[in-house]
Amino acid sequence: MADKPSFYITTAIDYVNGAPHLGHAYEKILTDVMARHKRLDGFDVMFLTGTDEHGQKVAKTAEANGKEPQEFCDEITKKFLAMGPQLNLSYDDFIRTTEPRHYEASKAIWNAIKENNPDDIYLDKYAGWYSVRDEAYFTEDELSEGEDSDGAKHKVAPTGAPVEWVEESSYFFRLSAYADQLLELYQKHPEFIAPDSRRNEIISFVKSGLQDISISRTNFKWGVPVPNDDDHVMYVWLDALTNYITGVGYPDTDSTSYKKFWPADFHVVGKDIIRFHCIYWPAFLMAANLELPKRVFAHGFINVNGQKMSKSVGNVVAPQDLLDLYGLDPTRYLLMREVSHGQDGNFSHEYAVQRINSDLANGLGNLVQRTLSMIYKNCDGQIPQPGDLSSEDKALLEHAHAKLLPSMRIDCDEMKFNRALENIWKLVIEANGYVDSQAPWALKKEDPMRMETVLYVLAETIRILGIVVQSIVPDSASKILNQLKIAEDKRNYSFVSKDHMLEAGTKIDQPEGVFPRLEANDVAA
Ligand code: MSP
């Protein structure tokens, strides 16, 4: 058999200065959906996520908690690791930047830059502004006046984070030398940054001129030591970005995994960190003479009741809160359905209940429940034998077999899951409309053969729906497909076709509800 094409996708790695929140969960689910979609579409997928454990932010938070940095990281990382089973994430590897393999890779990329472009790393002195919260340097003209909660004035970065003046000996990376190559990359590969609005933002930033960046720190120790100079630790972003190649075996560029998966197909990151991913990262790789990732996809932010999540506002939502309220698959569905491609999304409880009930409980859930119950009761508990197909039957099956997947594949490949779901639900609505118009309960007496055909057409439509929603609601899709007795190895997209229709006579179990209805008040309580 021919080798499957490869597909490598990554999330940002999360800082471990606090527990995971809904924003982290959203990004991981978004990436998980893409990974599952590509696996179902026949790709050999590598999905990497992890934690970003170095830097001043984490070191300071550990200190404030009276812990050694490593001990503190171990504690918090457990909470990020727990998101795996909690959110049903299908990642293949979880990287921690404190692992030996990552130290090795970070030192190796530093050395590779020095070997390939010796002038691109030089020792100098940094004197300027630094935001610990952003782990980023800022120039004077990027800053504005901000106020503390106690009214004290201080300078803040464009993110609102306070900055501090830093003067220290530092290694620099000659980013200024890469402006033309970067602009050429964006021009030759317009797909490198998605969505387009972000691409324009990056292009104008690069055109406005790039300064060399500091890539090492001396006034604290929590980082990867710079090769041959133990007084310095690497700037946390150089170390963090390198995780994407550590995860596939760098510095062993001859390893099977590196050869197979690098360059990555997708780096999925939030809109706040695209400069690091679209400017610094490709420039580091160019300097180290390594291949560039194919695409950076910037998602928007999840707000809560129209407001940015923030500790001071007290509206930070923990992923577990939503799981307790709605269950896992409804939460995954909600996040993928509500947030448009690359845009910010809003979470509100009232709307969530409405959406989950209308689409899942009353939509797909009801379709499955009433179809399978009628089959169970009226067809001896087995998939019925269809007779001649009417034009309505043919139209519904044509939608399921031939029309759905091609457009869904285009949307999903672009990470437009909200659009894909909107389209999948057109079939759910059409199928529910077909149940009402065909009224199989009335056919039971009038024309039982016709009833069997109608129920067969519905069950077959549900088979297709079960397959295509697997990446979004894996557990529920699996319940649906189990009820239809579809073998595990007949659930990928190649089975979305009229060549693999349900076999009449297959015994089914007594149907069980897949998506329970939520009561707004119960849930709020
Ligand atoms: N450690 C860096 C990333 C290094 S990647 C080489 C970092 N960490 S973070 O914990 O602050 O953020 C991790 C990811 O979560 C980022 O992609 C960030 O954009 C995303 N989000 C943080 N808050 C978010 C929301 N409220 N909504 C959606 N995503 C958000 O940045």
Side-chain angles (χ1 to χ4, degrees):
M1 209 168 78
D3 269 357
K4 286 179 176 182
S6 65
F7 185 82
Y8 179 28
I9 188 163
T10 64
T11 68
I13 50 172
D14 302 317
Y15 287 127
V16 290
N17 61 313
H21 58 58
L22 186 55
H24 299 124
Y26 166 69
E27 178 179 287
K28 280 35 182 189
I29 295 172
L30 179 70
T31 313
D32 181 64
V33 170
M34 187 68 169
R36 288 177 185 269
H37 158 70
K38 293 307 262 187
R39 286 192 200 104
L40 289 165
D41 212 7
F43 286 76
D44 190 353
V45 172
M46 164 77 191
F47 167 15
L48 179 73
T49 187
T51 42
D52 188 355
E53 305 191 4
H54 292 129
Q56 221 174 349
K57 172 151 86 173
V58 170
K60 281 192 167 176
T61 318
E63 198 184 332
N65 282 275
K67 303 258 163 76
E68 284 301 315
Q70 186 64 61
E71 182 194 359
F72 183 70
C73 290
D74 290 348
E75 239 169 60
I76 303 283
T77 292
K78 275 195 196 131
K79 301 185 188 196
F80 282 91
L81 275 164
M83 273 208 299
Q86 196 182 27
L87 302 174
N88 199 0
L89 304 176
S90 63
Y91 52 74
D92 300 285
D93 198 355
F94 186 102
I95 182 161
R96 300 183 56 182
T97 54
T98 47
E99 288 172 58
R101 61 171 170 162
H102 182 67
Y103 273 64
E104 198 195 330
S106 303
K107 289 178 176 177
I109 195 171
W110 181 288
N111 288 332
I113 297 174
K114 286 211 79 159
E115 269 163 36
N116 288 286
N117 290 286
D119 295 340
D120 285 353
I121 293 184
Y122 59 90
L123 189 60
D124 203 342
K125 190 173 166 195
Y126 179 76
W129 298 102
Y130 192 76
S131 153
V132 175
R133 202 163 88 196
D134 300 314
E135 294 284 16
Y137 299 91
F138 291 97
T139 55
E140 185 78 41
D141 55 4
E142 289 177 291
L143 305 179
S144 56
E145 281 292 327
E147 237 175 56
D148 268 341
S149 47
D150 58 9
K153 293 237 184 289
H154 56 82
K155 287 184 188 285
V156 292
T159 56
V163 289
E164 56 191 46
W165 184 257
V166 173
E167 282 191 29
E168 58 185 341
S169 158
S170 172
Y171 284 97
F172 281 77
F173 173 69
R174 204 175 298 282
L175 185 64
S176 56
Y178 287 86
D180 289 345
Q181 283 182 69
L182 286 166
L183 289 169
E184 197 184 315
L185 163 71
Y186 312 143
Q187 208 208 344
K188 267 200 187 150
H189 296 282
E191 73 290 351
F192 179 71
I193 309 170
D196 279 348
S197 53
R198 300 291 164 211
R199 183 170 170 263
N200 297 336
E201 192 184 317
I202 290 294
I203 291 177
S204 63
F205 185 81
V206 175
K207 280 191 173 158
S208 72
L210 291 178
Q211 296 185 353
D212 293 351
I213 53 168
S214 157
I215 50 164
S216 77
R217 307 287 316 261
T218 35
N219 64 1
F220 70 99
K221 285 278 158 220
W222 186 233
V224 180
V226 165
N228 305 316
D229 193 344
D230 282 349
D231 292 341
H232 293 249
V233 291
M234 284 185 204
Y235 171 40
V236 64
W237 271 101
L238 171 52
D239 141 16
L241 289 160
T242 303
N243 94 85
Y244 300 132
I245 49 178
T246 311
V248 288
Y250 186 80
D252 185 358
T253 51
D254 290 326
S255 66
T256 324
S257 60
Y258 190 89
K259 284 212 234 89
K260 181 158 186 123
F261 292 114
W262 192 257
D265 293 271
F266 259 91
H267 289 320
V268 179
V269 301
K271 64 178 185 181
D272 56 328
I273 52 172
I274 52 170
R275 278 190 202 176
F276 301 99
H277 284 84
C278 302
I279 300 174
Y280 292 11
W281 182 225
F284 292 150
L285 290 166
M286 286 169 184
N289 201 19
L290 295 167
E291 280 186 273
L292 310 184
K294 293 178 202 157
R295 176 175 280 200
V296 176
F297 173 72
H299 62 75
F301 263 45
I302 304 285
N303 297 322
V304 172
N305 295 322
Q307 268 188 307
K308 199 173 170 197
M309 260 188 281
S310 109
K311 279 190 195 144
S312 50
V313 178
N315 64 346
V316 179
V317 174
Q320 189 60 47
D321 295 346
L322 292 198
L323 303 184
D324 292 343
L325 285 174
Y326 312 132
L328 172 59
D329 279 352
T331 301
R332 290 175 58 111
Y333 176 81
L334 181 73
L335 291 172
M336 294 304 104
R337 178 66 185 80
E338 282 312 310
V339 188
S340 305
H341 182 70
Q343 304 289 308
D344 288 349
N346 187 43
F347 166 75
S348 91
H349 173 63
E350 284 70 29
Y351 200 72
V353 172
Q354 216 180 318
R355 173 60 84 188
I356 289 171
N357 280 341
S358 75
D359 291 9
L360 297 180
N362 303 342
L364 181 57
N366 191 32
L367 174 69
V368 175
Q369 184 63 19
R370 51 187 184 156
T371 302
L372 297 189
S373 302
M374 280 187 279
I375 293 180
Y376 191 73
K377 282 194 206 131
N378 303 320
C379 310
D380 269 347
Q382 23 182 309
I383 302 289
Q385 181 70 50
D388 289 342
L389 299 182
S390 70
S391 56
E392 287 89 348
D393 306 341
K394 285 184 189 153
L396 187 62
L397 289 177
E398 162 85 4
H399 187 170
H401 289 146
K403 292 200 191 132
L404 186 62
L405 188 58
S407 77
M408 177 186 140
R409 195 178 262 135
I410 293 171
D411 288 337
C412 290
D413 284 352
E414 294 284 319
M415 297 199 96
K416 293 180 176 164
F417 300 123
N418 66 313
R419 234 166 74 171
L421 286 172
E422 209 180 310
N423 280 324
I424 295 172
W425 255 255
K426 286 187 183 147
L427 179 60
V428 174
I429 292 166
E430 193 181 324
N432 269 323
Y434 170 92
V435 182
D436 296 337
S437 67
Q438 299 297 318
W441 49 87
L443 292 170
K444 192 176 157 187
K445 278 208 179 120
E446 293 159 17
D447 187 350
M449 295 266 284
R450 176 65 198 147
M451 176 196 73
E452 296 209 341
T453 305
V454 167
L455 292 177
Y456 180 87
V457 169
L458 282 166
E460 172 59 15
T461 305
I462 291 170
R463 179 181 74 87
I464 302 300
L465 285 167
I467 293 179
V468 298
V469 298
Q470 285 176 102
S471 60
I472 312 274
V473 287
D475 286 344
S476 312
S478 143
K479 276 191 196 156
I480 295 173
L481 297 168
N482 289 347
Q483 297 202 19
L484 286 173
K485 303 286 171 195
I486 307 298
E488 295 276 348
D489 60 353
K490 294 195 165 51
R491 296 182 178 189
N492 64 50
Y493 294 165
S494 69
F495 292 89
V496 176
S497 126
K498 63 178 177 353
D499 300 337
H500 301 279
M501 291 192 22
L502 288 167
E503 238 175 83
T506 307
K507 281 262 178 220
I508 63 162
D509 302 327
Q510 178 151 23
E512 277 172 30
V514 179
F515 297 110
R517 214 188 133 71
L518 302 172
E519 297 301 333
N521 295 334
D522 292 358
V523 167

